[in-house]
Amino acid sequence: MRQAAGLAGEAHWSRAHRFFSRAVWDLDLVGLAVARAVVARFVPRGAAVTLAVDDSLFHRYGKNVQGAKYQHDGSAKGRDSIGRGNCFVIIGIVVTVPFLARQVCLPVLFRLHIPKTSTSTTAQARTMVDLFAQALPDRVVHIVGDALYRRPAWRDRPARVTFTTRLAANAVLYGPQPARTGKRGHPAWKGERLGTAAEMAVGATWTRARVTRYGVTKDVDLAVIACLWWGSLHRTPVRVVLVRDLDEIRPCLSPWPAPT
């Protein structure tokens, strides 16, 4: 870092040690400054920004290591997937760089997650997304997370912030909130029961499309359904995208809800 900053021949290395060990600074402000620089350099003006959210366990041991706990470790071998260390929830910007054919994720914000002490990983991710959206008020923000992040914390987001994740196979979906009838009593908050993704697929209207997944481009059938995921996102409108592969003996349904 000293060499990249041009300080290797200008200042003694102890200055860097003193800065990181004694200086008082706000990591969120640093992360947001990096985020603005990344967006300005790699995201076209006026285009939406895609954020990826995930958590990772950094293996640390010892009684003096702050926040080191036994917790979920996706890279651990064995049945339990448990490891000991520091778990960090990370928000990164997904961008295309000129020297790679694939996209990369550049981390900009993070939180230390301590089980039974911190708020949930999803709540911590929502806090960082809110900070990011406030720092770039003129940008639409698309968030992508895995199934562990499909929690109620994503309710009541700003209209320009969307969240995409994998739908639970047993999730029951309902139609959008119906119009008022003018009758006495509390108006209905949700429409008729649509069922699970598999149940909706039976009567869905499919459209042929060409998509790229995991580096492979092929034709699939898509069905997009506007509905409510009442059990998780309550009154937040969602769009469920059902994907049916054409070369499978048994149709594979991949439901992905993207709140609008």
Side-chain angles (χ1 to χ4, degrees), residues 71-142:
Q71 48 197 312
H72 173 75
D73 182 8
S75 63
K77 297 181 180 179
R79 181 183 61 183
D80 297 331
S81 297
I82 298 296
R84 179 177 174 80
N86 294 128
C87 178
F88 290 97
V89 182
I90 303 169
I91 294 289
I93 306 175
V94 180
V95 298
T96 300
V97 292
F99 50 85
L100 288 177
R102 60 180 179 84
Q103 291 181 309
V104 296
C105 181
L106 304 179
V108 291
L109 294 172
F110 66 91
R111 288 286 188 277
L112 174 64
H113 176 70
I114 304 177
K116 300 181 180 180
T117 301
S118 308
T119 57
S120 68
T121 55
T122 308
Q124 290 178 303
R126 172 65 192 271
T127 299
M128 290 186 285
V129 168
D130 288 345
L131 289 175
F132 184 93
Q134 292 170 9
L136 287 90
D138 59 337
R139 296 278 187 161
V140 174
V141 180
H142 298 313

Side-chain angles (χ1 to χ4, degrees), residues 13-108:
W13 55 263
S14 62
R15 291 182 59 182
H17 284 256
R18 187 162 54 249
F19 172 76
F20 285 107
S21 64
R22 299 181 183 179
V24 179
W25 48 326
D26 189 322
L27 290 177
D28 284 342
L29 296 180
V30 175
L32 293 175
V34 173
R36 293 188 188 94
V38 169
V39 171
R41 178 62 180 85
F42 295 108
V43 183
R45 183 181 299 274
V49 180
T50 300
L51 299 181
V53 54
D54 203 355
D55 54 84
S56 181
L57 187 68
F58 180 56
H59 294 276
R60 300 288 300 277
Y61 300 91
K63 63 181 181 179
N64 293 326
V65 177
Q66 168 65 20
K69 302 287 184 180
Y70 282 104
Q71 48 197 312
H72 173 75
D73 182 8
S75 63
K77 297 181 180 179
R79 181 183 61 183
D80 297 331
S81 297
I82 298 296
R84 179 177 174 80
N86 294 128
C87 178
F88 290 97
V89 182
I90 303 169
I91 294 289
I93 306 175
V94 180
V95 298
T96 300
V97 292
F99 50 85
L100 288 177
R102 60 180 179 84
Q103 291 181 309
V104 296
C105 181
L106 304 179
V108 291

Side-chain angles (χ1 to χ4, degrees), residues 170-175 190-196 199-200:
N170 60 350
V172 177
L173 303 165
Y174 294 84
K190 58 183 178 180
E192 62 180 4
R193 183 184 186 276
L194 301 179
T196 63
E199 293 172 340
M200 291 194 302

